[in-house]
Amino acid sequence: MSNYKQGADADFTNGPVSAAGRKSNLSMFMVMLGFTFFSASMWVGQKLATGLDFWGFIGALLLGGLILGAYTGALGWIGAESGLTLDMLARKSFGERGSYLPSAMISFTQIGWFGVGLAMFAIPIAKEIMGLEVTPDSMPWQGYMLVLIAGILMTCSAYFGIKSLTIVSYIAVPAVAILGTVAMIMAVQRGDSTLIDQFSKGSKDLSVIAGAGLVIGSFVSGGTATPNFARFAKNAKVGLLVTVVAFFLGNSLMFFFGAISSIYVGGNDIFEVMLNLNLFYIAILVLGLNIWTTNDNALYTSGLGLSNIMGLPKKAMVLAAGIIGTVSAVWLYWNFVGWLNVLNCTLPPIGIILIISYFLHRKEYLAGTLPKRAVNWFAIAGVVLGAAVANLVKWGIPSINGMIVSAACFFVGYILEKSRNQS
């Protein structure tokens, strides 16, 4: 499908980001850090606190963060050096039409998480602040109104692109980091035992490797979209460094928020910690900003993906994705989180193929001389097989398993093609 004709495009939807379009290092750090402020990561922190002692928790964060940093850092380098979106990179590795698969998968999952994020904001406020009864079968109109308001605001920030995302990040990142950390320290100070003693309670049935798997799985799917944002970095080294540092700090903070809330107040996230500390209005502010920073990035990513498939302007696709996510938010929250986790396993195989293809053909990527093709069937097969292995094989770390299989499949295709061209 041919691309739409566009004038000045500040988001560089269909081409590399120009030198004038690059952002400052601080702006990139804020955007990437805000991307990791994902409330669902707090759930992972709760699981880690239940299954590991304090030093096991730290070990899982370091090991998982190292692997996640290597994966997202490579994508950050590629995005910054090439200046291309995930979807434009996919056109080169999967083929022009083959890129529709990765674009569709990441768009679908990001719209889903956008909707879940809206409900994660509305439902706790409806229950804890408004005192309303919310069940999978019943949602008061006030809850739907909260979803609608949040959906409109977050869709607007994604609609106006990277400039708006940067503004939201500058506001939200310091607020969430500072207020959340203060609340976490207050919770520890009011507890009747030390942090290490509190971590010693629970089932403790996780190994450090299993814990690292949870750390990786918590954001490896979202991290696949790294090129969409890192492409605005000044250069490849900045893209790599900002991505690794921001993702490690942001994810670790979310895990600590979830762990502290679990071991001290028994809740799911820092929102419940703040409620227990009688910080009601701050709790609402932190919850909303925390979800906003991730949701606008998710919607921005889905808009880019749908634009690649449909050949329509990114802004129009952001609006369409925002409407779908908002209308289906409550249903997604109660019915689709499990399926979204399954679909997340399709994204790391996509990311590893983007990485391998880029470094195998780096000169051609940068020079714009890589031959066009309709579909790279080995890349498609790699995603399908990698996703199947990630979902079905119970040994090891699912996302790593999927990436190994998809990489092997892609390499087979590369070798066969190279030998055919030489013969």
Side-chain angles (χ1 to χ4, degrees), residues 303-382:
L304 290 172
L306 293 176
S307 177
N308 180 50
I309 297 170
M310 306 299 294
L312 296 173
K314 185 268 299 178
K315 287 186 175 182
M317 295 296 93
V318 166
L319 285 179
I323 292 170
I324 294 170
T326 301
V327 169
S328 58
V330 176
W331 181 85
L332 287 168
Y333 180 84
W334 292 115
N335 297 281
F336 210 58
V337 172
W339 280 106
L340 283 171
N341 286 326
V342 170
L343 291 171
N344 281 346
C345 291
T346 65
L347 301 185
I350 290 171
I352 199 65
I353 287 175
L354 297 184
I355 293 170
I356 294 171
S357 177
Y358 183 82
F359 287 111
L360 286 175
H361 305 283
R362 181 166 172 263
K363 290 183 179 179
E364 293 93 329
Y365 271 69
L366 296 177
T369 58
L370 190 71
K372 292 184 179 181
R373 64 197 306 174
V375 180
N376 183 335
W377 290 108
F378 282 94
I380 299 293

Side-chain angles (χ1 to χ4, degrees), residues 60-71 215-216 244 248:
L61 290 193
L62 292 175
L63 178 58
L66 178 64
I67 297 172
L68 191 60
Y71 174 70
V215 170
I216 296 166
V244 172
F248 180 77

Side-chain angles (χ1 to χ4, degrees), residues 217-305:
S218 69
F219 206 71
V220 71
S221 58
T224 303
T226 295
N228 289 342
F229 310 101
R231 64 198 172 105
F232 291 96
K234 292 292 185 183
N235 54 55
K237 290 182 179 179
V238 173
L240 168 65
L241 186 61
V242 167
T243 297
V244 172
V245 174
F247 278 22
F248 180 77
L249 289 178
N251 278 319
S252 296
L253 197 58
M254 291 299 104
F255 296 141
F256 267 104
F257 284 173
I260 296 301
S261 65
S262 173
I263 63 180
Y264 278 98
V265 300
N268 290 318
D269 52 41
I270 202 66
F271 175 75
E272 296 192 21
V273 170
M274 290 182 168
L275 291 182
N276 280 275
L277 295 172
N278 295 319
L279 303 173
F280 297 105
Y281 298 108
I282 293 178
I284 295 173
L285 176 65
V286 169
L287 179 66
L289 291 176
N290 186 34
I291 291 173
W292 199 335
T293 56
T294 303
N295 261 19
D296 59 1
N297 287 4
L299 206 57
Y300 180 80
T301 292
S302 65
L304 290 172

Side-chain angles (χ1 to χ4, degrees), residues 121-283:
F121 169 75
I123 290 175
I125 291 179
K127 292 170 64 176
E128 304 294 340
I129 304 298
M130 297 181 174
L132 302 173
E133 183 178 354
V134 179
T135 68
D137 300 317
S138 175
M139 178 74 159
W141 68 267
Q142 294 95 328
Y144 284 110
M145 185 59 64
L146 287 170
V147 168
L148 179 62
I149 293 171
I152 291 173
L153 291 174
M154 295 176 191
T155 300
C156 285
S157 65
Y159 176 84
F160 290 107
I162 191 66
K163 291 183 179 179
S164 182
L165 267 61
T166 303
I167 293 172
V168 170
S169 296
Y170 266 105
I171 296 171
V173 166
V176 173
I178 294 171
L179 295 175
T181 301
V182 168
M184 186 171 58
I185 293 172
M186 290 174 64
V188 173
Q189 290 177 337
R190 293 191 184 188
D192 57 2
S193 60
T194 67
L195 188 62
I196 293 177
D197 289 338
Q198 283 294 115
F199 262 95
S200 66
K201 302 174 183 178
S203 62
K204 308 306 163 195
D205 54 357
L206 278 180
S207 66
V208 172
I209 299 297
L214 291 175
V215 170
I216 296 166
S218 69
F219 206 71
V220 71
S221 58
T224 303
T226 295
N228 289 342
F229 310 101
R231 64 198 172 105
F232 291 96
K234 292 292 185 183
N235 54 55
K237 290 182 179 179
V238 173
L240 168 65
L241 186 61
V242 167
T243 297
V244 172
V245 174
F247 278 22
F248 180 77
L249 289 178
N251 278 319
S252 296
L253 197 58
M254 291 299 104
F255 296 141
F256 267 104
F257 284 173
I260 296 301
S261 65
S262 173
I263 63 180
Y264 278 98
V265 300
N268 290 318
D269 52 41
I270 202 66
F271 175 75
E272 296 192 21
V273 170
M274 290 182 168
L275 291 182
N276 280 275
L277 295 172
N278 295 319
L279 303 173
F280 297 105
Y281 298 108
I282 293 178

Side-chain angles (χ1 to χ4, degrees), residues 42-67:
M42 297 186 197
W43 298 347
V44 175
Q46 183 181 23
K47 292 180 181 178
L48 293 172
T50 300
L52 294 166
D53 62 18
F54 179 75
W55 296 114
F57 176 81
I58 297 298
L61 290 193
L62 292 175
L63 178 58
L66 178 64
I67 297 172

